[in-house]
Amino acid sequence: MIHPIVKLAASAQPGERKYILFAGAGLSRDAGLPTGWDLMLATAVLLRSSDDSNPSKDVETWFQESRYARMSYSELIGTLFPTPVEQRSFVNDKLRAKGPGDAHRLIAELARIGVIRCAITTNFDELLEHALEEAGISVQVIANLDDLHHMEPLIHCKSFRIYKPHGTLASGQLRNTPHDLERLSEDMEQELIKVMNDHGLLIVGYAGQDNSISRCFRARKHHRYPAFWVNPKEPSAEVSALFQTDTFHYISCSGAGRFFKDLITTYEKIASFVPNPGLPSTVLETRNSILAFAPEADGLVAKFMAVLDEELALLLRTSPEEGSGMSCFFRQ
């Protein structure tokens, strides 16, 4: 039986940019950012301070036994912090990291070699943006209606685009409460559906508990390419039902960083089995760098042209008749 990561590598070929990444909170875990559960426990510390009934219990035990444990993260945030300003202050205080983690940097590599065209993330942090910029890739963030209404079509975008439908720490309102997460704006929803329809999906570190995003998955009608769900836990029946069965695959992983390392290793193994005829590998490397808008593209093009000149010069010296015809062709 073929491992699903091999199916992914076979379908999401470098240079084709026919997949998009959908990233949830699990993406930022290896960078030291808290998970949804960690944030819920942070709210529990505040809630625990008003209950003196059993002071000997630790916060986690108290929380699990309380009525608050039955609430979602968004419900807790909305209850404790009813205004957007308070919510931003709480989230901004918790979502601090020294820098991008392994997962963010490996995603930047996938963007550089042209595996993924863009990303959609429910995360507020800017670690993915930082990782891409560190790799020399320009970034365009679409986080609100103003961004959406002033962007070019995705196919014409020369930067790596990141859709952040729940908002971004950099600016604007964050979508935190159950009301916020029930449905996206009509324009944002339609844009995400279009992007999902046109590409394969690589869904990493996402729990699938967001109605607004589930609506987009459900509305994805054109299953031209598969969807891969990457998570330590298998998707629930409700999540699986959002996708077409024969084009939906689950990939088990121990963490986002580990998964992306395994994927890039798979690409390297596949490449090692391909005969190396010399010039075509240079062509592929140059092509991928151009498609990914890599900063080294100019140098690779120059290197490629130099190699091509050497190949042609050798051909002209060893095959005069053919060389004469080719020389004529290149002069034209």
Side-chain angles (χ1 to χ4, degrees), residues 183-193 215-216:
R183 186 168 183 175
L184 302 175
S185 70
E186 184 68 22
D187 288 349
M188 181 66 80
E189 182 177 284
Q190 289 305 310
E191 173 67 13
L192 297 188
I193 292 171
R215 286 175 58 86
C216 296

Side-chain angles (χ1 to χ4, degrees), residues 1-9 228 250-252 259 262 266:
M1 186 175 178
I2 300 175
H3 193 285
I5 201 168
V6 176
K7 291 183 179 180
L8 170 60
F228 293 85
Y250 167 61
I251 300 177
S252 176
F259 161 72
D262 290 344
T266 303

Side-chain angles (χ1 to χ4, degrees), residues 6 149 160 169 186 195 222 224 233 235 248 261 288 303 315:
V6 176
H149 293 160
F160 186 87
L169 287 177
E186 184 68 22
V195 171
H222 305 301
R224 297 183 177 92
K233 295 182 180 179
F248 181 65
K261 286 178 182 176
N288 289 346
K303 179 181 176 182
L315 184 62

